[in-house]
Amino acid sequence: MDLEEIYPVPLKYQPFRDEDWRVVEEELDYVHRMQKGVLLNWPEELLKEWLYRHADCMEDYAFLNLERLKFTL
C-alpha cells in the first residue's frame, strides 16, 4: 500500500517532496501551483501559513473539503 492509497485527499495539497519526504518545492511555487489547480479560491497568505508550513498535518483537515472553501476580507 502506498501513501496515495492511505491519504488520497491530503496528498493532492502537499508540496512536492523527495523520496525522504523532505519538501523540495519552494513556497511561492507551491502557492502558484495550488492557485492554478485545486485551490483556486485560496489567498496566498493562507496557502503559505497554513498549508505549506503545516503540510505534515494535512490529513487532520482533509474532511474540510478545501476546494469548496471561499475567503473574503
Side-chain angles (χ1 to χ4, degrees):
M1 185 173 283
D2 64 9
L3 284 175
E4 288 181 8
E5 292 173 326
I6 299 169
Y7 301 114
V9 174
L11 277 180
K12 68 180 168 181
Y13 307 122
Q14 287 287 332
F16 293 137
R17 296 175 180 268
D18 65 12
E19 61 277 350
D20 296 319
W21 201 241
R22 288 185 298 249
V23 173
V24 295
E25 185 173 27
E26 295 293 326
E27 184 178 67
L28 284 178
D29 293 335
Y30 170 78
V31 168
H32 293 138
R33 181 170 60 87
M34 290 295 111
Q35 287 179 326
K36 290 179 182 177
V38 295
L39 299 175
L40 301 170
N41 300 312
W42 280 62
E44 182 176 326
E45 287 303 313
L46 285 176
L47 287 167
K48 284 195 248 181
E49 300 296 330
W50 188 28
L51 296 187
Y52 184 82
R53 293 194 181 157
H54 301 285
D56 292 337
C57 302
M58 199 79 65
E59 64 276 358
D60 294 341
Y61 304 102
F63 72 94
L64 291 175
N65 196 359
L66 300 177
E67 290 99 348
R68 300 195 75 204
L69 295 179
K70 295 187 187 220
F71 302 91
T72 59
L73 290 174

